[in-house]
Amino acid sequence: MTADPATESGYADHPKRMGFFTDTSICIGCKACEVACKEWNAVPEDGLAFTGMSYDNTQSLSADTWRHVAFVEQPRPLGHQQHGFGDMDFRWLMASDVCKHCTHAACLDVCPTGSLFRTEFGTVVVQDDVCNGCGYCVPACPYGVIGKRESTGVAAKCTLCYDRLGVGQEPACAKSCPTDSIQFGELDELRERAARRLEQVRAAGVDSARLYGHDPDDGVGGTGAFFLLLDEPEVYGLPPDPVVTTRDLPSMWRQAGIAAAVLLAGIAVATWGSRT
Amino acid sequence: MDDDPALRPEREATVGSAGGRRRRGEQPMVPPAGFRSYYGLPVLNEPTWHDHDIAGYLFLGGLAGASSILAAAADLTGRPRLARAGKAGALCAVGGSLYALIHDLGRPSRFVNMLRVFKVTSPMSVGTWILSAYGPQAGLAAATAVTGLFPRLGRAASAGAGLTGAAVATYTAALISDTAVPLWHGGHREMPLLFAGSAMSAAGGLGMFAAPVAEAGPARNAALLGTAVEVAAAKAMERRLGPVVAEPLRQGKGRLARLGEGLSVAGALLGATAGRRSRAAAVVAGAALLAGSACTRFGIFHAGVASAGDPRYTVEPQRARLSAERRA
């Protein structure tokens, strides 16, 4: 089991770790969370264009999309949902994706300015007045969450509404969700709730249901925002087995040290072994 | 019932009733199962870095670091013109790399902002400090070599630049490997050696290009040795990446890496043969080595960006890892 990230970051007396449990089985794809997030956080619009791809015009998370509702069309029935629809053999999967607020966050690890920090709630936040715009966090994120905003040149992503949490409010997306697909709370309690819900959905005949990001032993030490999915993660655009990139950093530094020694020794051999 | 002549099993059999042999025969018509994605959209966000800035930086940083080492070694063995070429080249290269970094960041104050913390978990932070230690020494080494003033200070600076130069040339491999980009992260074990070899051959190329034949022996050897290390590391890296993740190195702009290898091998061989006698051949060989090193860095940069932009390279290796764990 991994320690609490807030404790690891040096908070002595801090609130319980807070997070999201997004139950995609009851998401209706209204995208109210996307809008509420944009409104509350004053996130700029990310282009008004028809993609022609699906009913999802947002496509993915970025600096200007902190919540993204994915729409997945599949030619297969969904548990009991096909009742009343005759012989319809077609289902929509909808899932509201968000920053995972990883226990071991690659974006935070690689940030060279200390702009990204761990809050007392165990979440990960960017300070846009400190951010350099170096863009290192962008390819470091194994989930493709954080992005660099074109208009400001600095990185931006979901803050889990840090400003609202501080005054005891729930994040804007969870507040606006009409079906409670997005649930906010103490992470331990959410995990119990998710386990109960998984049993319920499976009992209803949806055998493909699974939890994603709930396991503290996974490649990122478990996430602060986890999901109940009805299909494989990659179907929703999520990586099946993400790993925090800095897990291999000791080996990388060792190899870089060996390479530096090889470089010094190689040039020494090339010089002193030369007859001219 | 099966021999009923009215029943035509080929056409009217229910789905799934065909024999095993026939089904195997049909499979090539069907796309391989297993890989699924969200409308083919990438899982990762592509690096926002510009190739001419960051790939250029990877090349120039390697050239600068290794040139400082070669120059320091030339100093110690009494080859003043090779040393001067290396020091001047290193200063130009580190100047160019600083320009590229700042151009990518947008404004100079953002480089200074990086010095507010030191984080070992961030190769970029470590690299900023390495550059801050290396840059002034490389500058001092070049200035004293060109003007002939303060020879003792110059020797100390050239030794210091040589030692920190080794870090400048290799930390960039850790920098790009410490990302989720499948090709860069997958190659993290071999990438530093590949960069060290490529830097060594670039410095050798610069030495051959700028120093007289009589003094360029170490440069010719460095080019040969560096190219050998680079090619061996590249082969090992491709093997570890496997056929899927290594694919971007064989497509599009990723093919620059292969071209770079070819140019380096050609330059190193030409330098070691005709370059021993003919100044013109040495210049051609040196130019080929410099171009080869640049192509290698641009190729690896572009292949990495391409591997982040296609969900296949993210999903397939992770799926393979999961099923291997499940089997174990």
Side-chain angles (χ1 to χ4, degrees), chain A residues 39-68:
Chain A
E39 287 284 331
W40 179 263
N41 295 299
V43 177
E45 59 110 339
D46 35 14
L48 296 167
F50 289 109
T51 61
M53 177 191 84
S54 80
Y55 286 102
D56 171 21
N57 261 11
T58 321
Q59 300 198 58
S60 61
L61 293 174
S62 69
D64 296 335
T65 306
W66 295 358
R67 267 279 178 192
H68 162 239

Side-chain angles (χ1 to χ4, degrees), chain B residues 60-277:
Chain B
L60 290 172
L63 174 63
S67 291
S68 286
I69 308 175
L70 190 60
D75 248 354
L76 293 173
T77 54
R79 294 176 171 100
R81 281 179 293 182
L82 179 62
R84 203 158 53 227
K87 289 173 189 175
L91 179 62
C92 292
V94 77
S97 69
L98 265 178
Y99 170 79
L101 272 189
I102 289 169
H103 186 259
D104 199 61
L105 288 174
R107 51 174 181 266
S109 63
R110 287 185 167 170
F111 181 82
V112 181
N113 192 29
M114 306 257 249
L115 298 170
R116 66 189 288 277
V117 289
F118 176 80
K119 283 169 80 173
V120 282
T121 59
S122 171
M124 195 183 278
S125 168
V126 174
T128 308
W129 287 101
I130 289 175
L131 273 181
S132 306
Y134 167 79
Q137 300 194 83
L140 210 55
T144 51
V146 171
T147 59
L149 298 169
F150 311 111
R152 287 177 68 181
L153 182 67
R155 270 197 297 278
S158 110
L163 287 174
T164 45
V168 171
T170 52
Y171 94 87
T172 44
L175 189 149
I176 63 164
S177 299
D178 194 22
T179 60
V181 173
L183 190 120
W184 295 343
H185 191 254
H188 73 261
R189 286 182 191 80
E190 293 82 11
M191 199 78 82
L193 273 174
L194 200 169
F195 276 28
S198 169
M200 208 192 296
S201 70
L206 179 72
M208 266 189 255
F209 189 87
V213 171
E215 283 192 15
R220 290 191 290 269
N221 291 345
L224 265 183
L225 195 58
T227 304
V229 169
E230 178 194 335
V231 171
K235 293 283 166 276
M237 189 174 92
E238 275 191 52
R239 240 193 335 273
R240 189 190 299 278
L241 288 172
V244 174
V245 185
E247 209 172 67
L249 283 167
R250 296 186 294 269
Q251 292 171 350
K253 288 187 190 166
R255 282 178 303 184
L256 280 171
R258 188 62 50 88
L259 176 67
E261 238 173 65
L263 280 170
S264 295
V265 170
L269 291 178
L270 179 67
T273 51
R276 288 177 174 280
R277 293 173 299 276

Side-chain angles (χ1 to χ4, degrees), chain B residues 9-11 13 16-29:
Chain B
E10 291 287 328
R11 289 187 184 169
S17 69
R21 216 177 113 242
R22 251 181 52 88
R23 206 176 303 158
R24 263 204 299 280
E26 275 171 2
Q27 252 181 355
M29 305 293 291

Side-chain angles (χ1 to χ4, degrees), chain A residues 39-265:
Chain A
E39 287 284 331
W40 179 263
N41 295 299
V43 177
E45 59 110 339
D46 35 14
L48 296 167
F50 289 109
T51 61
M53 177 191 84
S54 80
Y55 286 102
D56 171 21
N57 261 11
T58 321
Q59 300 198 58
S60 61
L61 293 174
S62 69
D64 296 335
T65 306
W66 295 358
R67 267 279 178 192
H68 162 239
V69 180
F71 287 57
V72 183
E73 301 180 35
Q74 288 184 329
R76 71 174 72 165
L78 170 63
H80 298 304
Q81 278 192 16
Q82 77 270 34
H83 280 319
F85 289 97
D87 54 359
M88 182 176 162
D89 61 346
F90 183 85
R91 73 175 180 180
W92 278 103
L93 302 183
M94 286 137 188
S96 181
D97 193 13
V98 69
C99 171
K100 315 298 178 292
H101 296 278
C102 308
T103 305
H104 304 300
C107 57
L108 195 158
D109 284 347
V110 304
C111 175
T113 62
S115 157
L116 280 140
F117 74 104
R118 179 78 63 181
T119 73
E120 65 273 34
F121 302 102
T123 59
V124 180
V125 173
V126 191
Q127 304 168 84
D128 55 7
D129 53 342
V130 182
C131 175
N132 239 353
C134 72
Y136 201 4
C137 51
V138 178
C141 174
Y143 293 100
V145 169
I146 196 164
K148 188 168 152 183
R149 189 172 286 169
E150 284 302 316
S151 55
T152 58
V154 300
K157 71 166 191 69
C158 160
T159 65
L160 219 138
C161 283
Y162 186 41
D163 51 347
R164 294 173 65 94
L165 262 55
V167 294
Q169 292 278 315
E170 63 179 326
C173 55
K175 184 89 184 167
S176 71
C177 180
T179 64
D180 256 354
S181 167
I182 300 173
Q183 298 169 33
F184 166 78
E186 289 172 7
L187 203 58
D188 295 334
E189 197 266 310
L190 287 178
R191 282 180 178 150
E192 286 169 26
R193 206 189 298 178
R196 281 199 303 277
R197 176 63 185 161
L198 178 66
E199 267 175 44
Q200 203 181 12
V201 174
R202 285 225 172 122
V206 189
D207 299 326
S208 59
R210 86 234 19 235
L211 294 179
Y212 176 77
H214 63 297
D215 180 7
D217 296 321
D218 71 10
V220 298
T223 57
F226 65 104
F227 302 82
L228 187 149
L229 303 177
L230 300 183
D231 204 336
E232 301 284 357
E234 56 265 34
V235 171
Y236 298 89
L238 295 163
D241 186 26
V243 167
V244 57
T245 50
T246 36
R247 193 176 74 176
D248 299 312
L249 196 59
S251 141
M252 288 174 203
W253 280 134
R254 195 174 54 241
Q255 291 296 103
I258 292 171
V262 165
L263 185 52
L264 284 169

